[in-house]
């Protein structure tokens, strides 16, 4: 018996030509940025008008390095809370602004620090690897941080005789366990946005674009990852799409990524990864940031990320370990 595939019109982003002029609000933000001696760091999932005026656009790893290395006085971080918090941890003398403090992350929420502490007490001697999508308090309780861009490399550095707990993303964790052949205990967290992409819906889109390679973020389910030609971080997606001979590529991650791909590779067509109910998927947390909120943050120097210094120092240890190991 054949299963009926969902009848959803795919969301297709054709090649782009030319740039629109900046809006008055974008101009105002750039003026305020100069006045405040600020730098705008933005994640690949931000809306296109934010991406256009960012000084640096990238994945969590690139953003952590950019935050650490900036000489600007203020960092306007257009991403989610754990990313802005990481910027403050690695560069504490800077003022870090997040346009909307409610820009959280379901993965981060899925691993409360007290629950992790209880688990670690019951399982002493476990080496905790935390995906960067977690709170500063969870980072402070971890041995090593990783991002989707370096998770395999980081887990390979964990001494072979240590048992690993991987938090909070079970999907990234199971993908890394397979790549590294390491057995890991997986915290049962997931990204609410990435687990909505289904193999079933993807199959329907693949049938409409035969030959188009599929790229997927490792936060997707195993069924989706198994159908993909490349499973990688958002930054690595750029390189894959540049190098691929294909002129049409199916992109299974948050839709903001497609703006970045169009900016870098304007002559290719990108097709958004589908869910069972929709042709594409946005992260409701990433999409809380708007141009208006950016302007207000630079104008009012608020909302600002603040942190207890003792917590910051403890959280910095596993992040700095990652930043050092990731370069080598
Ligand atoms: P990247 O580091 O690959 O950009 O992923 C961040 C993220 O939150 C994905 O949902
Ligand atoms: Fe968190 Fe998922 Fe949004 Fe990324 S896409 S910030 S993992 S909720």
């Amino acid at each position: 018996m054949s299963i009926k595939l969902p009848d959803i019109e795919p969301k297709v982003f054709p090649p782009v030509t030319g740039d629109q002029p900046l809006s008055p609000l974008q101009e105002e933000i750039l003026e305020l940025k100069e006045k405040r001696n600020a730098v705008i760091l933005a994640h690949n999932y931000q809306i296109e008008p934010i991406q256009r005026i960012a000084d640096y656009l990238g994945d969590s790893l690139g953003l952590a390095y950019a935050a650490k290395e900036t000489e600007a006085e203020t960092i306007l971080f257009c991403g989610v809370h754990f990313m802005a918090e990481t910027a403050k941890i690695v560069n504490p003398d800077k003022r870090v602004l997040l346009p909307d403090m409610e820009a959280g992350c379901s993965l981060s929420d899925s691993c409360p620090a007290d629950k992790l502490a209880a688990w670690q007490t019951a399982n002493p001697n476990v080496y905790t690897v935390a995906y960067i999508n977690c709170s500063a308090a969870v980072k402070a309780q971890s041995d090593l941080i990783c991002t989707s861009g370096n998770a395999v490399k980081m887990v390979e550095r964990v001494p072979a005789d240590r048992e690993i707990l991987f938090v909070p993303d079970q999907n990234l964790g199971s993908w890394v366990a397979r790549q590294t052949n390491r057995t890991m205990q997986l915290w049962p967290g997931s990204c609410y946005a990435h687990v909505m992409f289904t193999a079933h819906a993807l199959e329907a889109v693949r049938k409409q674009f035969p030959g188009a390679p599929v790229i997927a973020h490792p936060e997707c389910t195993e069924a989706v990852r198994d159908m993909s030609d490349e499973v990688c971080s958002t930054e690595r997606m750029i390189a894959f799409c540049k190098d691929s001979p294909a002129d049409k590529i199916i992109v299974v991650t948050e839709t903001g990524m497609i703006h970045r791909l169009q900016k870098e590779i304007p002559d290719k067509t990108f097709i958004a990864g589908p869910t069972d109910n929709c042709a594409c998927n946005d992260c409701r947390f990433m999409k809380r940031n708007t141009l208006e909120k950016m302007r207000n943050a630079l104008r009012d120097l608020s909302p600002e990320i603040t942190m207890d210094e003792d917590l910051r120092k403890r959280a910095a240890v596993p992040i700095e370990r990652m930043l050092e190991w990731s370069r080598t």
Side-chain angles (χ1 to χ4, degrees):
M1 188 184 77
S2 69
I3 299 170
K4 191 178 174 322
L5 295 174
D7 192 13
I8 292 171
E9 189 64 33
K11 190 154 179 181
V12 178
F13 296 74
V16 288
T17 45
D19 250 357
Q20 297 296 315
L22 292 182
S23 69
L25 185 51
Q26 285 171 314
E27 299 279 12
E28 187 184 347
I29 292 167
L30 293 181
E31 276 167 35
L32 275 166
K33 185 186 82 158
E34 291 307 311
K35 195 167 140 199
R36 297 298 194 194
N37 184 15
V39 65
I40 300 176
L41 307 185
H43 186 264
N44 292 323
Y45 295 163
Q46 293 297 288
I47 55 172
E48 192 277 339
I50 293 181
Q51 294 200 12
R52 272 195 74 196
I53 54 169
D55 295 296
Y56 180 87
L57 195 51
D59 68 354
S60 312
L61 183 61
L63 286 162
Y65 281 119
K68 189 175 165 65
E69 285 155 15
T70 187
E71 288 183 357
E73 246 171 89
T74 295
I75 298 171
L76 178 61
F77 206 108
C78 299
V80 291
H81 189 270
F82 75 82
M83 296 178 176
E85 207 174 46
T86 302
K88 185 72 185 170
I89 294 168
V90 298
N91 205 341
D93 296 337
K94 307 299 177 191
R95 178 192 290 123
V96 179
L97 304 173
L98 180 64
D100 188 324
M101 276 295 169
E102 300 298 311
C105 170
S106 67
L107 265 175
S108 185
D109 292 346
S110 67
C111 186
D114 58 340
K115 282 208 174 130
L116 174 60
W119 197 95
Q120 288 169 323
T121 305
N123 299 269
N125 302 322
V126 163
Y127 193 103
T128 304
V129 180
Y131 186 29
I132 198 165
N133 297 38
C134 62
S135 66
V138 165
K139 289 183 174 82
Q141 289 165 224
S142 301
D143 296 288
L144 179 63
I145 305 302
C146 71
T147 72
S148 60
N150 64 16
V152 169
K153 192 173 179 182
M154 292 303 103
V155 167
E156 280 170 346
R157 297 282 300 251
V158 178
D161 59 343
R162 296 294 302 272
E163 198 188 329
I164 300 176
L165 168 67
F166 190 92
V167 303
D169 189 8
Q170 59 187 306
N171 286 301
L172 175 66
S174 68
W175 180 70
V176 173
R178 231 214 264 177
Q179 306 293 309
T180 58
N181 269 328
R182 289 284 306 244
T183 307
M184 306 195 296
Q185 306 240 31
L186 304 179
W187 193 265
S190 57
C191 161
Y192 92 94
H194 280 88
V195 297
M196 283 168 77
F197 298 113
T198 63
H200 191 52
L202 183 55
E203 186 53 29
V205 171
R206 271 214 315 201
K207 282 211 158 66
Q208 294 180 59
F209 297 91
V214 176
I215 53 174
H217 197 275
E219 290 169 12
C220 293
T221 62
E222 188 168 14
V224 167
R225 296 195 310 268
D226 283 351
M227 288 173 69
S228 305
D229 298 273
E230 179 78 357
V231 176
C232 60
S233 74
T234 59
E235 201 59 28
R236 165 83 195 120
M237 287 180 180
I238 311 283
F240 178 91
C241 293
K242 271 189 184 153
D243 295 346
S244 169
D247 62 351
K248 292 188 183 66
I249 300 167
I250 302 169
V251 183
V252 191
T253 192
E254 215 269 0
T255 8
M257 186 63 215
I258 297 186
H259 304 309
R260 173 79 198 280
L261 287 164
Q262 286 188 304
K263 187 177 161 137
E264 305 276 345
I265 317 158
D267 56 332
K268 292 198 180 181
T269 294
F270 299 101
I271 301 112
T275 72
D276 279 351
N277 309 310
C278 188
C280 62
N281 204 12
D282 279 349
C283 166
R284 65 171 179 269
F285 302 108
M286 285 280 180
K287 286 336 197 228
R288 288 195 70 92
N289 295 324
T290 62
L291 289 175
E292 284 78 9
K293 289 178 194 171
M294 285 173 78
R295 187 263 320 275
N296 297 349
L298 283 174
R299 184 192 61 202
D300 305 338
L301 297 179
S302 169
E304 181 179 355
I305 302 283
T306 55
M307 206 179 303
D308 170 77
E309 181 56 11
D310 176 60
L311 171 64
R312 189 201 68 76
K313 280 190 180 143
R314 287 184 291 117
V317 175
I319 300 180
E320 293 295 348
R321 187 170 292 140
M322 169 191 79
L323 294 177
E324 191 196 321
W325 286 2
S326 205
R327 281 206 198 278
T328 51

